[in-house]
Amino acid sequence: MKITQVKTILTSPNQNYLFVKIVTDSGIYGVGDASLNGREETVANLIDMYLAPQLIGRDPEQIEDFWQLVYRGSYWRGGNVMMSALSGIDMALWDILGKSAEKPLYALLGGKARDKVLCYSHVLGKTMEEKLDNAAGFVRERGLQVIRLRAGLPAANGTFGVGGHQDAPIIEPWTPHREIQNTIDAFIRLRENVGPEVGIIYDLHERFSPDQAILIMRELEPYRPFFIEDPIAPENPDSLRYVREKTSVPIGFGELYKSRYECLPALSGHWIDYLRCDIIRIGGVTEARKLAALAETFDVKMAWHGPNDVSPITHAVNWHLNVSEYNFGIQEDGTTDALINRVVSGGPTCQNGFLTMDAQPGIGCDINEEEAAKYPFKRAFIPVCRDEEGALKTW
Ligand code: CS2
Ligand code: MG
């Protein structure tokens, strides 16, 4: 089997996505997700200009070799743009492998290690007030065991960068030291609203400094968070150790990590309980299985990143990883908009708190290219935060 064509597909069904489709001379093709919120076209260009020509004529089953060719062979290693491009291609190659073996991806990864995949959803609502008020109903309706809230002021329209913000990022106000008490209060209200049984994940979205994060987490200890997500920024591993030592709250971390090497200190030091990498940022299936094995070594559970800005293809790959991992913890089902399902078929859904999927050979998803063309890509930006002094803060 030889690769004959590599296509990049940009589309925007209420959110920008970048897909990769790799076609072979056998008629089998594979699909992957290379979406990088706010930089999709840059990733597409890297694939079209530099990676696709190296794929044409290759045996699609040499997945590890191609991974190394892009990662080490480029000499300039890593980074979000390169890793997203590589991940999209890597997923498509595994999809081809599964289809040609007539096996679902999870079977290639060692087979099922569990029957069910616990998942969590984002509490929805237009404002923080609405989310806090509606949480119990939201949990009941969907039969959820675990929910997730993100620290923040009421989100401005167009958050995640689509819908008329194509020239520059919108600015959201956020003054961290002023938001400490609000953040604590919001969690406590949510706990009171949903009762003691429901797991609550609170995403602090790297928005606080270590001292602020410690303050928040210590106050929340009696309210038993399922985990606190990304309490601080990831750049300085020692800061994470510092936070870890000061609180007993479980920590989920890592959607901004771009490599196994970045994860290593947090894993080997046991500074986190759940590793939350995004498979589009760390190198697709090939790297995800190595990373999960590494985390298993250090008793850290997996909780792959699954927001609305990754497509059903990534959600499906996450599910295949989930069912085949020994150290699976929980899966984020951050899907908030159904329009993408017109473009991509297949993929898991959350039913009564568990992620279920009809497994087909490969990843089990397909892209409807005609449908994708109906939603033209528009340049869009992730918002930025500025405090009341005008200084830039982490969004
Ligand atoms: C979030 C993401 O799902 C999460 O945990 O942190 O929604 C994140 O903000 C987006 O992926 C950014 O594009
Ligand atoms: Mg997050």
Side-chain angles (χ1 to χ4, degrees), residues 3-8 20-23 47-48 52 55-56:
I3 296 171
T4 52
Q5 197 188 8
V6 179
K7 280 189 183 179
T8 48
V20 184
K21 182 167 176 178
I22 299 183
V23 184
I47 297 173
D48 294 340
L55 278 164
I56 305 294

Side-chain angles (χ1 to χ4, degrees), residues 37 122 148 160 203 205 229 255 305 307 309 332 382 395:
N37 199 6
H122 298 190
R148 173 265 200 193
F160 294 139
D203 188 354
H205 220 256
E229 177 177 331
E255 67 186 50
H305 191 220
D309 47 289
E332 175 181 29
I382 288 186
W395 176 74

Side-chain angles (χ1 to χ4, degrees), residues 83-336:
M83 296 315 284
S84 302
L86 175 53
S87 300
I89 292 170
D90 184 84
M91 285 183 215
L93 294 178
W94 279 93
D95 194 29
I96 292 171
L97 186 63
K99 285 176 179 167
S100 63
E102 296 180 16
K103 295 273 182 206
L105 177 58
Y106 73 76
L108 307 182
L109 299 174
K112 278 196 180 175
R114 68 193 61 255
D115 297 323
K116 286 182 162 191
V117 169
L118 182 66
C119 67
Y120 65 90
S121 297
H122 298 190
V123 187
L124 300 179
K126 286 197 196 72
T127 61
M128 184 62 110
E129 291 298 307
E130 206 175 290
K131 289 180 191 177
L132 296 174
D133 289 346
N134 297 345
F138 183 78
V139 167
R140 231 185 355 262
E141 266 167 40
R142 294 167 199 236
L144 292 166
Q145 296 182 25
V146 185
I147 50 171
R148 173 265 200 193
L149 187 72
R150 173 178 177 273
L153 305 171
N157 281 338
T159 294
F160 294 139
V162 286
H165 302 289
Q166 285 109 45
D167 297 325
I170 55 164
I171 297 170
E172 289 182 11
W174 178 258
T175 301
H177 74 268
R178 284 194 180 283
E179 296 306 328
I180 293 170
Q181 193 58 48
N182 285 343
T183 302
I184 296 165
D185 292 345
F187 189 99
I188 296 172
R189 261 181 71 190
L190 191 61
R191 171 56 77 215
E192 281 163 0
N193 190 330
V194 298
E197 302 283 310
V198 175
I200 304 176
I201 292 169
Y202 204 5
D203 188 354
L204 301 188
H205 220 256
E206 308 98 7
R207 292 188 138 192
F208 294 97
S209 59
D211 58 316
Q212 293 163 343
I214 292 164
L215 215 94
I216 293 168
M217 291 165 83
R218 288 178 84 135
E219 290 277 332
L220 294 184
E221 277 171 17
Y223 302 93
R224 285 184 295 108
F226 189 94
F227 61 71
I228 295 293
E229 177 177 331
D230 294 329
I232 57 164
E235 281 84 3
N236 182 1
D238 255 356
S239 298
L240 189 56
R241 177 184 54 78
Y242 176 69
V243 170
R244 173 61 150 193
E245 284 170 357
K246 302 253 176 328
T247 165
S248 62
V249 169
I251 297 178
F253 204 84
E255 67 186 50
L256 294 184
Y257 284 148
K258 300 171 294 300
S259 82
R260 204 180 339 143
Y261 307 99
E262 276 183 296
C263 300
L264 189 58
L267 296 176
S268 62
H270 211 296
W271 302 338
I272 62 172
D273 301 281
Y274 293 84
L275 183 61
R276 295 203 66 265
C277 290
D278 187 315
I279 60 163
I280 316 181
R281 246 40 91 210
I282 53 107
V285 180
T286 299
E287 184 64 10
R289 62 193 182 134
K290 295 178 186 177
L291 190 52
L294 185 71
E296 182 191 325
T297 318
F298 297 108
D299 291 323
V300 173
K301 295 181 271 293
M302 301 310 297
W304 299 105
H305 191 220
N308 192 53
D309 47 289
V310 303
S311 82
I313 298 175
T314 296
H315 291 295
V317 174
N318 284 339
W319 179 85
H320 287 282
L321 292 164
N322 298 156
V323 291
S324 58
E325 271 158 9
Y326 168 71
N327 54 328
F328 168 72
I330 192 164
Q331 179 57 53
E332 175 181 29
D333 174 31
T335 316
T336 52

